[in-house]
Amino acid sequence: MMLKTSYRKINPGVNMYFVTLRRMLPIIIISTVAFLLVCPAFFMVNADLFVDELSKEMDGYYLHSDSFIWLFNNVKFNITQMNVTLTSIACVFAAIAPVIVCTINFSFLFSKKSSDFYLALPLKRTEMFISRSLASATATVIPIVLSFGAMSVLSVVLPHTESGLPDVLWSLAYVITVLLLSTVISLLFLACAGAVGDFIISLLGL
């Protein structure tokens, strides 16, 4: 760890940021795959759940047609309903994931041996805090941005009943706000807690 954060000429805090983010790679990959399975995968496979009632049939022909071309040309997708579903899932993730990720990245605070090691690195405590905090936020925001990016593409490409892109972008801003608030609260309690148990009790009390 000492070499990884000190051998480059750039700011050691930047090195710490990338080292921490690399450690979070499995979490990033798993959460990103999970989000992409919801959007666009689930939305496209279960397209009949997100179609405007007025567009469900044409000449008595329902969505269970074998022709995707017919579905694409004659069905209007309810982008608003898709967006609400994705936003609900993303908000739950944005509220819980930062707590887990921040706890992992700052767990060294609850071990004397680990804290001695990290605080002995050639970084100021402010640099340590900022770099690991930003890495925690980045690890949780990547899957959300990618999934909402796919949602934005769907809102532009698919024929739909309303102008969906502005709503999708507003929802993305709302979810990121929830994520940032959860991250700040988690960091505040982690900084004040003397042990993991105290941190959990404080969160439950909140």
Side-chain angles (χ1 to χ4, degrees):
M1 179 68 73
M2 176 71 75
L3 293 177
K4 290 182 179 179
T5 58
S6 61
Y7 78 96
R8 298 178 186 173
K9 293 182 179 180
I10 59 177
N11 192 302
V14 177
N15 287 328
M16 175 59 75
Y17 168 81
F18 286 109
V19 168
T20 305
L21 197 60
R22 190 158 55 245
R23 289 183 58 197
M24 294 288 101
L25 196 58
I27 294 177
I28 296 174
I29 293 175
I30 293 173
S31 55
T32 299
V33 170
F35 264 96
L36 293 179
L37 286 175
V38 174
C39 179
F42 175 79
F43 287 167
M44 297 309 299
V45 172
N46 298 277
D48 55 325
L49 297 176
F50 304 100
V51 173
D52 193 329
E53 293 292 333
L54 297 177
S55 303
K56 268 193 173 182
E57 55 180 282
M58 181 177 181
D59 297 330
Y61 214 58
Y62 281 83
L63 283 180
H64 299 291
S65 166
D66 294 330
S67 173
F68 180 79
I69 297 178
W70 179 93
L71 184 148
F72 186 85
N73 291 332
N74 296 278
V75 169
K76 291 187 176 181
F77 292 84
N78 191 332
I79 295 297
T80 301
Q81 186 180 352
M82 288 184 179
N83 184 41
V84 168
T85 302
L86 178 60
T87 302
S88 300
I89 296 173
C91 280
V92 174
F93 175 84
I96 297 175
V99 178
I100 298 174
V101 173
C102 288
T103 302
I104 293 173
N105 285 335
F106 286 91
S107 60
F108 66 89
L109 293 175
F110 306 122
S111 169
K112 186 179 186 306
K113 182 178 179 180
S114 297
S115 62
D116 289 343
F117 172 77
Y118 276 94
L119 295 179
L121 294 175
L123 287 87
K124 296 178 181 179
R125 295 192 179 190
T126 302
E127 292 176 329
M128 174 76 72
F129 177 79
I130 293 176
S131 60
R132 295 184 78 83
S133 298
L134 290 178
S136 300
T138 303
T140 50
V141 81
I142 288 176
I144 292 176
V145 170
L146 291 178
S147 189
F148 272 94
M151 186 75 224
S152 299
V153 172
L154 292 181
S155 69
V156 173
V157 174
L158 294 179
H160 51 78
T161 56
E162 301 175 3
S163 178
L165 184 57
D167 290 339
V168 173
L169 295 179
W170 275 111
S171 296
L172 174 60
Y174 176 79
V175 172
I176 290 179
T177 301
V178 173
L179 186 146
L180 292 177
L181 286 174
S182 179
T183 301
V184 170
I185 292 173
S186 299
L187 292 173
L188 178 63
F189 279 102
L190 279 168
C192 297
V196 177
D198 295 338
F199 172 62
I200 296 175
I201 293 174
S202 299
L203 284 179
L204 293 177
L206 180 66

PDB file of all heavy atoms in Angstrom, residues 95-126:
ATOM      1  N   ALA A  95     -29.812   4.480  -0.971  1.00  0.00           N
ATOM      2  CA  ALA A  95     -29.892   4.686   0.470  1.00  0.00           C
ATOM      3  C   ALA A  95     -29.057   3.669   1.250  1.00  0.00           C
ATOM      4  O   ALA A  95     -28.517   3.981   2.310  1.00  0.00           O
ATOM      5  CB  ALA A  95     -31.349   4.620   0.918  1.00  0.00           C
ATOM      6  N   ILE A  96     -28.934   2.451   0.705  1.00  0.00           N
ATOM      7  CA  ILE A  96     -28.272   1.366   1.442  1.00  0.00           C
ATOM      8  C   ILE A  96     -26.810   1.191   1.038  1.00  0.00           C
ATOM      9  O   ILE A  96     -25.927   1.028   1.895  1.00  0.00           O
ATOM     10  CB  ILE A  96     -29.037   0.040   1.238  1.00  0.00           C
ATOM     11  CG1 ILE A  96     -30.451   0.159   1.802  1.00  0.00           C
ATOM     12  CG2 ILE A  96     -28.293  -1.116   1.886  1.00  0.00           C
ATOM     13  CD1 ILE A  96     -31.315  -1.058   1.550  1.00  0.00           C
ATOM     14  N   ALA A  97     -26.533   1.229  -0.267  1.00  0.00           N
ATOM     15  CA  ALA A  97     -25.183   0.928  -0.761  1.00  0.00           C
ATOM     16  C   ALA A  97     -24.098   1.826  -0.169  1.00  0.00           C
ATOM     17  O   ALA A  97     -23.021   1.326   0.204  1.00  0.00           O
ATOM     18  CB  ALA A  97     -25.158   0.999  -2.287  1.00  0.00           C
ATOM     19  N   PRO A  98     -24.312   3.153  -0.046  1.00  0.00           N
ATOM     20  CA  PRO A  98     -23.246   3.985   0.522  1.00  0.00           C
ATOM     21  C   PRO A  98     -22.874   3.598   1.946  1.00  0.00           C
ATOM     22  O   PRO A  98     -21.708   3.728   2.343  1.00  0.00           O
ATOM     23  CB  PRO A  98     -23.847   5.404   0.475  1.00  0.00           C
ATOM     24  CG  PRO A  98     -24.830   5.361  -0.637  1.00  0.00           C
ATOM     25  CD  PRO A  98     -25.415   3.986  -0.568  1.00  0.00           C
ATOM     26  N   VAL A  99     -23.844   3.133   2.722  1.00  0.00           N
ATOM     27  CA  VAL A  99     -23.554   2.708   4.097  1.00  0.00           C
ATOM     28  C   VAL A  99     -22.585   1.540   4.087  1.00  0.00           C
ATOM     29  O   VAL A  99     -21.587   1.511   4.829  1.00  0.00           O
ATOM     30  CB  VAL A  99     -24.858   2.317   4.825  1.00  0.00           C
ATOM     31  CG1 VAL A  99     -24.545   1.820   6.233  1.00  0.00           C
ATOM     32  CG2 VAL A  99     -25.823   3.488   4.864  1.00  0.00           C
ATOM     33  N   ILE A 100     -22.842   0.570   3.203  1.00  0.00           N
ATOM     34  CA  ILE A 100     -21.992  -0.623   3.123  1.00  0.00           C
ATOM     35  C   ILE A 100     -20.602  -0.269   2.598  1.00  0.00           C
ATOM     36  O   ILE A 100     -19.581  -0.661   3.173  1.00  0.00           O
ATOM     37  CB  ILE A 100     -22.653  -1.683   2.223  1.00  0.00           C
ATOM     38  CG1 ILE A 100     -23.996  -2.116   2.808  1.00  0.00           C
ATOM     39  CG2 ILE A 100     -21.736  -2.882   2.042  1.00  0.00           C
ATOM     40  CD1 ILE A 100     -24.787  -3.037   1.924  1.00  0.00           C
ATOM     41  N   VAL A 101     -20.568   0.494   1.504  1.00  0.00           N
ATOM     42  CA  VAL A 101     -19.293   0.827   0.873  1.00  0.00           C
ATOM     43  C   VAL A 101     -18.436   1.708   1.783  1.00  0.00           C
ATOM     44  O   VAL A 101     -17.223   1.482   1.927  1.00  0.00           O
ATOM     45  CB  VAL A 101     -19.535   1.516  -0.486  1.00  0.00           C
ATOM     46  CG1 VAL A 101     -18.228   2.031  -1.067  1.00  0.00           C
ATOM     47  CG2 VAL A 101     -20.195   0.559  -1.456  1.00  0.00           C
ATOM     48  N   CYS A 102     -19.039   2.698   2.413  1.00  0.00           N
ATOM     49  CA  CYS A 102     -18.282   3.574   3.320  1.00  0.00           C
ATOM     50  C   CYS A 102     -17.767   2.801   4.526  1.00  0.00           C
ATOM     51  O   CYS A 102     -16.643   3.050   5.005  1.00  0.00           O
ATOM     52  CB  CYS A 102     -19.163   4.741   3.783  1.00  0.00           C
ATOM     53  SG  CYS A 102     -19.493   5.967   2.511  1.00  0.00           S
ATOM     54  N   THR A 103     -18.566   1.880   5.021  1.00  0.00           N
ATOM     55  CA  THR A 103     -18.120   1.053   6.149  1.00  0.00           C
ATOM     56  C   THR A 103     -16.905   0.221   5.768  1.00  0.00           C
ATOM     57  O   THR A 103     -15.953   0.076   6.547  1.00  0.00           O
ATOM     58  CB  THR A 103     -19.259   0.139   6.627  1.00  0.00           C
ATOM     59  OG1 THR A 103     -20.385   0.930   6.991  1.00  0.00           O
ATOM     60  CG2 THR A 103     -18.826  -0.688   7.825  1.00  0.00           C
ATOM     61  N   ILE A 104     -16.912  -0.338   4.551  1.00  0.00           N
ATOM     62  CA  ILE A 104     -15.773  -1.122   4.077  1.00  0.00           C
ATOM     63  C   ILE A 104     -14.531  -0.244   3.944  1.00  0.00           C
ATOM     64  O   ILE A 104     -13.439  -0.608   4.398  1.00  0.00           O
ATOM     65  CB  ILE A 104     -16.106  -1.798   2.725  1.00  0.00           C
ATOM     66  CG1 ILE A 104     -17.201  -2.854   2.912  1.00  0.00           C
ATOM     67  CG2 ILE A 104     -14.860  -2.436   2.126  1.00  0.00           C
ATOM     68  CD1 ILE A 104     -17.698  -3.447   1.610  1.00  0.00           C
ATOM     69  N   ASN A 105     -14.691   0.916   3.335  1.00  0.00           N
ATOM     70  CA  ASN A 105     -13.533   1.772   3.060  1.00  0.00           C
ATOM     71  C   ASN A 105     -12.969   2.456   4.301  1.00  0.00           C
ATOM     72  O   ASN A 105     -11.801   2.883   4.293  1.00  0.00           O
ATOM     73  CB  ASN A 105     -13.905   2.827   2.019  1.00  0.00           C
ATOM     74  CG  ASN A 105     -14.003   2.242   0.622  1.00  0.00           C
ATOM     75  OD1 ASN A 105     -13.384   1.228   0.323  1.00  0.00           O
ATOM     76  ND2 ASN A 105     -14.787   2.869  -0.229  1.00  0.00           N
ATOM     77  N   PHE A 106     -13.794   2.582   5.335  1.00  0.00           N
ATOM     78  CA  PHE A 106     -13.312   3.249   6.554  1.00  0.00           C
ATOM     79  C   PHE A 106     -13.281   2.289   7.755  1.00  0.00           C
ATOM     80  O   PHE A 106     -13.237   2.728   8.896  1.00  0.00           O
ATOM     81  CB  PHE A 106     -14.179   4.462   6.882  1.00  0.00           C
ATOM     82  CG  PHE A 106     -13.946   5.629   5.965  1.00  0.00           C
ATOM     83  CD1 PHE A 106     -14.705   5.780   4.820  1.00  0.00           C
ATOM     84  CD2 PHE A 106     -12.960   6.562   6.231  1.00  0.00           C
ATOM     85  CE1 PHE A 106     -14.490   6.844   3.952  1.00  0.00           C
ATOM     86  CE2 PHE A 106     -12.735   7.625   5.380  1.00  0.00           C
ATOM     87  CZ  PHE A 106     -13.506   7.777   4.235  1.00  0.00           C
ATOM     88  N   SER A 107     -13.304   1.000   7.471  1.00  0.00           N
ATOM     89  CA  SER A 107     -13.275   0.011   8.554  1.00  0.00           C
ATOM     90  C   SER A 107     -11.961   0.057   9.327  1.00  0.00           C
ATOM     91  O   SER A 107     -11.896  -0.387  10.477  1.00  0.00           O
ATOM     92  CB  SER A 107     -13.504  -1.398   7.990  1.00  0.00           C
ATOM     93  OG  SER A 107     -12.498  -1.719   7.044  1.00  0.00           O
ATOM     94  N   PHE A 108     -10.905   0.607   8.699  1.00  0.00           N
ATOM     95  CA  PHE A 108      -9.610   0.671   9.382  1.00  0.00           C
ATOM     96  C   PHE A 108      -9.672   1.567  10.625  1.00  0.00           C
ATOM     97  O   PHE A 108      -8.825   1.459  11.517  1.00  0.00           O
ATOM     98  CB  PHE A 108      -8.524   1.179   8.425  1.00  0.00           C
ATOM     99  CG  PHE A 108      -8.692   2.601   7.986  1.00  0.00           C
ATOM    100  CD1 PHE A 108      -8.141   3.639   8.730  1.00  0.00           C
ATOM    101  CD2 PHE A 108      -9.398   2.919   6.829  1.00  0.00           C
ATOM    102  CE1 PHE A 108      -8.282   4.955   8.322  1.00  0.00           C
ATOM    103  CE2 PHE A 108      -9.541   4.229   6.414  1.00  0.00           C
ATOM    104  CZ  PHE A 108      -8.980   5.256   7.163  1.00  0.00           C
ATOM    105  N   LEU A 109     -10.674   2.443  10.695  1.00  0.00           N
ATOM    106  CA  LEU A 109     -10.799   3.324  11.856  1.00  0.00           C
ATOM    107  C   LEU A 109     -11.118   2.550  13.132  1.00  0.00           C
ATOM    108  O   LEU A 109     -10.879   3.046  14.236  1.00  0.00           O
ATOM    109  CB  LEU A 109     -11.901   4.359  11.604  1.00  0.00           C
ATOM    110  CG  LEU A 109     -11.634   5.393  10.504  1.00  0.00           C
ATOM    111  CD1 LEU A 109     -12.873   6.254  10.292  1.00  0.00           C
ATOM    112  CD2 LEU A 109     -10.435   6.259  10.861  1.00  0.00           C
ATOM    113  N   PHE A 110     -11.664   1.347  12.979  1.00  0.00           N
ATOM    114  CA  PHE A 110     -12.097   0.575  14.146  1.00  0.00           C
ATOM    115  C   PHE A 110     -11.081  -0.487  14.565  1.00  0.00           C
ATOM    116  O   PHE A 110     -11.372  -1.338  15.396  1.00  0.00           O
ATOM    117  CB  PHE A 110     -13.447  -0.092  13.850  1.00  0.00           C
ATOM    118  CG  PHE A 110     -14.488   0.889  13.384  1.00  0.00           C
ATOM    119  CD1 PHE A 110     -15.108   0.736  12.153  1.00  0.00           C
ATOM    120  CD2 PHE A 110     -14.832   1.977  14.164  1.00  0.00           C
ATOM    121  CE1 PHE A 110     -16.063   1.644  11.726  1.00  0.00           C
ATOM    122  CE2 PHE A 110     -15.774   2.888  13.737  1.00  0.00           C
ATOM    123  CZ  PHE A 110     -16.400   2.728  12.512  1.00  0.00           C
ATOM    124  N   SER A 111      -9.900  -0.443  13.956  1.00  0.00           N
ATOM    125  CA  SER A 111      -8.826  -1.373  14.319  1.00  0.00           C
ATOM    126  C   SER A 111      -7.550  -0.580  14.540  1.00  0.00           C
ATOM    127  O   SER A 111      -7.121   0.169  13.650  1.00  0.00           O
ATOM    128  CB  SER A 111      -8.616  -2.412  13.208  1.00  0.00           C
ATOM    129  OG  SER A 111      -7.431  -3.146  13.422  1.00  0.00           O
ATOM    130  N   LYS A 112      -6.964  -0.699  15.710  1.00  0.00           N
ATOM    131  CA  LYS A 112      -5.764   0.082  16.025  1.00  0.00           C
ATOM    132  C   LYS A 112      -4.617  -0.244  15.070  1.00  0.00           C
ATOM    133  O   LYS A 112      -3.912   0.654  14.584  1.00  0.00           O
ATOM    134  CB  LYS A 112      -5.321  -0.177  17.470  1.00  0.00           C
ATOM    135  CG  LYS A 112      -4.167   0.728  17.906  1.00  0.00           C
ATOM    136  CD  LYS A 112      -3.780   0.472  19.331  1.00  0.00           C
ATOM    137  CE  LYS A 112      -2.728   1.484  19.804  1.00  0.00           C
ATOM    138  NZ  LYS A 112      -1.544   1.542  18.921  1.00  0.00           N
ATOM    139  N   LYS A 113      -4.457  -1.522  14.760  1.00  0.00           N
ATOM    140  CA  LYS A 113      -3.371  -1.933  13.869  1.00  0.00           C
ATOM    141  C   LYS A 113      -3.576  -1.345  12.477  1.00  0.00           C
ATOM    142  O   LYS A 113      -2.636  -0.805  11.873  1.00  0.00           O
ATOM    143  CB  LYS A 113      -3.306  -3.460  13.807  1.00  0.00           C
ATOM    144  CG  LYS A 113      -2.170  -3.986  12.945  1.00  0.00           C
ATOM    145  CD  LYS A 113      -2.135  -5.507  12.972  1.00  0.00           C
ATOM    146  CE  LYS A 113      -1.012  -6.045  12.095  1.00  0.00           C
ATOM    147  NZ  LYS A 113      -0.967  -7.534  12.100  1.00  0.00           N
ATOM    148  N   SER A 114      -4.798  -1.440  11.969  1.00  0.00           N
ATOM    149  CA  SER A 114      -5.087  -0.919  10.628  1.00  0.00           C
ATOM    150  C   SER A 114      -5.003   0.597  10.588  1.00  0.00           C
ATOM    151  O   SER A 114      -4.472   1.178   9.631  1.00  0.00           O
ATOM    152  CB  SER A 114      -6.486  -1.376  10.176  1.00  0.00           C
ATOM    153  OG  SER A 114      -6.554  -2.778  10.077  1.00  0.00           O
ATOM    154  N   SER A 115      -5.526   1.245  11.619  1.00  0.00           N
ATOM    155  CA  SER A 115      -5.490   2.711  11.635  1.00  0.00           C
ATOM    156  C   SER A 115      -4.057   3.224  11.712  1.00  0.00           C
ATOM    157  O   SER A 115      -3.703   4.217  11.070  1.00  0.00           O
ATOM    158  CB  SER A 115      -6.316   3.251  12.805  1.00  0.00           C
ATOM    159  OG  SER A 115      -5.790   2.813  14.040  1.00  0.00           O
ATOM    160  N   ASP A 116      -3.206   2.536  12.495  1.00  0.00           N
ATOM    161  CA  ASP A 116      -1.794   2.932  12.562  1.00  0.00           C
ATOM    162  C   ASP A 116      -1.141   2.817  11.191  1.00  0.00           C
ATOM    163  O   ASP A 116      -0.336   3.670  10.793  1.00  0.00           O
ATOM    164  CB  ASP A 116      -1.045   2.060  13.568  1.00  0.00           C
ATOM    165  CG  ASP A 116      -1.433   2.378  15.009  1.00  0.00           C
ATOM    166  OD1 ASP A 116      -2.014   3.457  15.234  1.00  0.00           O
ATOM    167  OD2 ASP A 116      -1.166   1.538  15.891  1.00  0.00           O
ATOM    168  N   PHE A 117      -1.500   1.758  10.462  1.00  0.00           N
ATOM    169  CA  PHE A 117      -0.907   1.545   9.139  1.00  0.00           C
ATOM    170  C   PHE A 117      -1.353   2.630   8.165  1.00  0.00           C
ATOM    171  O   PHE A 117      -0.528   3.256   7.491  1.00  0.00           O
ATOM    172  CB  PHE A 117      -1.322   0.166   8.608  1.00  0.00           C
ATOM    173  CG  PHE A 117      -0.924  -0.068   7.179  1.00  0.00           C
ATOM    174  CD1 PHE A 117       0.376  -0.372   6.843  1.00  0.00           C
ATOM    175  CD2 PHE A 117      -1.874   0.025   6.164  1.00  0.00           C
ATOM    176  CE1 PHE A 117       0.742  -0.578   5.521  1.00  0.00           C
ATOM    177  CE2 PHE A 117      -1.514  -0.182   4.845  1.00  0.00           C
ATOM    178  CZ  PHE A 117      -0.210  -0.488   4.518  1.00  0.00           C
ATOM    179  N   TYR A 118      -2.672   2.875   8.084  1.00  0.00           N
ATOM    180  CA  TYR A 118      -3.186   3.847   7.119  1.00  0.00           C
ATOM    181  C   TYR A 118      -2.740   5.268   7.456  1.00  0.00           C
ATOM    182  O   TYR A 118      -2.406   6.053   6.562  1.00  0.00           O
ATOM    183  CB  TYR A 118      -4.709   3.779   7.055  1.00  0.00           C
ATOM    184  CG  TYR A 118      -5.214   2.708   6.123  1.00  0.00           C
ATOM    185  CD1 TYR A 118      -5.542   1.443   6.606  1.00  0.00           C
ATOM    186  CD2 TYR A 118      -5.356   2.955   4.769  1.00  0.00           C
ATOM    187  CE1 TYR A 118      -5.998   0.448   5.754  1.00  0.00           C
ATOM    188  CE2 TYR A 118      -5.811   1.968   3.912  1.00  0.00           C
ATOM    189  CZ  TYR A 118      -6.130   0.722   4.405  1.00  0.00           C
ATOM    190  OH  TYR A 118      -6.571  -0.248   3.552  1.00  0.00           O
ATOM    191  N   LEU A 119      -2.741   5.605   8.728  1.00  0.00           N
ATOM    192  CA  LEU A 119      -2.362   6.959   9.121  1.00  0.00           C
ATOM    193  C   LEU A 119      -0.864   7.197   9.007  1.00  0.00           C
ATOM    194  O   LEU A 119      -0.402   8.342   9.075  1.00  0.00           O
ATOM    195  CB  LEU A 119      -2.839   7.237  10.550  1.00  0.00           C
ATOM    196  CG  LEU A 119      -4.364   7.242  10.732  1.00  0.00           C
ATOM    197  CD1 LEU A 119      -4.724   7.495  12.187  1.00  0.00           C
ATOM    198  CD2 LEU A 119      -5.021   8.271   9.825  1.00  0.00           C
ATOM    199  N   ALA A 120      -0.086   6.113   8.828  1.00  0.00           N
ATOM    200  CA  ALA A 120       1.352   6.246   8.619  1.00  0.00           C
ATOM    201  C   ALA A 120       1.690   6.464   7.147  1.00  0.00           C
ATOM    202  O   ALA A 120       2.840   6.764   6.814  1.00  0.00           O
ATOM    203  CB  ALA A 120       2.069   5.002   9.131  1.00  0.00           C
ATOM    204  N   LEU A 121       0.707   6.333   6.274  1.00  0.00           N
ATOM    205  CA  LEU A 121       0.950   6.557   4.851  1.00  0.00           C
ATOM    206  C   LEU A 121       1.258   8.031   4.589  1.00  0.00           C
ATOM    207  O   LEU A 121       0.855   8.902   5.361  1.00  0.00           O
ATOM    208  CB  LEU A 121      -0.282   6.122   4.042  1.00  0.00           C
ATOM    209  CG  LEU A 121      -0.613   4.629   4.059  1.00  0.00           C
ATOM    210  CD1 LEU A 121      -1.908   4.369   3.315  1.00  0.00           C
ATOM    211  CD2 LEU A 121       0.510   3.811   3.445  1.00  0.00           C
ATOM    212  N   PRO A 122       1.971   8.319   3.499  1.00  0.00           N
ATOM    213  CA  PRO A 122       2.358   9.712   3.211  1.00  0.00           C
ATOM    214  C   PRO A 122       1.197  10.550   2.675  1.00  0.00           C
ATOM    215  O   PRO A 122       1.283  11.140   1.603  1.00  0.00           O
ATOM    216  CB  PRO A 122       3.459   9.537   2.159  1.00  0.00           C
ATOM    217  CG  PRO A 122       3.101   8.276   1.457  1.00  0.00           C
ATOM    218  CD  PRO A 122       2.538   7.370   2.519  1.00  0.00           C
ATOM    219  N   LEU A 123       0.122  10.592   3.406  1.00  0.00           N
ATOM    220  CA  LEU A 123      -1.035  11.405   3.063  1.00  0.00           C
ATOM    221  C   LEU A 123      -1.471  12.180   4.296  1.00  0.00           C
ATOM    222  O   LEU A 123      -1.375  11.675   5.419  1.00  0.00           O
ATOM    223  CB  LEU A 123      -2.222  10.548   2.596  1.00  0.00           C
ATOM    224  CG  LEU A 123      -2.178   9.901   1.223  1.00  0.00           C
ATOM    225  CD1 LEU A 123      -1.491   8.557   1.310  1.00  0.00           C
ATOM    226  CD2 LEU A 123      -3.597   9.724   0.701  1.00  0.00           C
ATOM    227  N   LYS A 124      -1.953  13.376   4.073  1.00  0.00           N
ATOM    228  CA  LYS A 124      -2.589  14.092   5.162  1.00  0.00           C
ATOM    229  C   LYS A 124      -3.926  13.418   5.463  1.00  0.00           C
ATOM    230  O   LYS A 124      -4.509  12.770   4.607  1.00  0.00           O
ATOM    231  CB  LYS A 124      -2.818  15.550   4.770  1.00  0.00           C
ATOM    232  CG  LYS A 124      -1.533  16.333   4.533  1.00  0.00           C
ATOM    233  CD  LYS A 124      -1.847  17.754   4.113  1.00  0.00           C
ATOM    234  CE  LYS A 124      -0.568  18.540   3.842  1.00  0.00           C
ATOM    235  NZ  LYS A 124      -0.862  19.924   3.400  1.00  0.00           N
ATOM    236  N   ARG A 125      -4.412  13.597   6.660  1.00  0.00           N
ATOM    237  CA  ARG A 125      -5.684  12.971   7.020  1.00  0.00           C
ATOM    238  C   ARG A 125      -6.825  13.498   6.160  1.00  0.00           C
ATOM    239  O   ARG A 125      -7.750  12.760   5.821  1.00  0.00           O
ATOM    240  CB  ARG A 125      -5.980  13.209   8.504  1.00  0.00           C
ATOM    241  CG  ARG A 125      -4.986  12.526   9.424  1.00  0.00           C
ATOM    242  CD  ARG A 125      -5.436  12.516  10.864  1.00  0.00           C
ATOM    243  NE  ARG A 125      -4.481  11.829  11.714  1.00  0.00           N
ATOM    244  CZ  ARG A 125      -4.690  11.505  12.974  1.00  0.00           C
ATOM    245  NH1 ARG A 125      -5.838  11.836  13.555  1.00  0.00           N
ATOM    246  NH2 ARG A 125      -3.774  10.869  13.676  1.00  0.00           N
ATOM    247  N   THR A 126      -6.746  14.772   5.785  1.00  0.00           N
ATOM    248  CA  THR A 126      -7.771  15.342   4.903  1.00  0.00           C
ATOM    249  C   THR A 126      -7.753  14.667   3.546  1.00  0.00           C
ATOM    250  O   THR A 126      -8.807  14.335   2.986  1.00  0.00           O
ATOM    251  CB  THR A 126      -7.543  16.859   4.720  1.00  0.00           C
ATOM    252  OG1 THR A 126      -7.567  17.491   5.998  1.00  0.00           O
ATOM    253  CG2 THR A 126      -8.626  17.459   3.833  1.00  0.00           C
TER     254      THR A 126
END
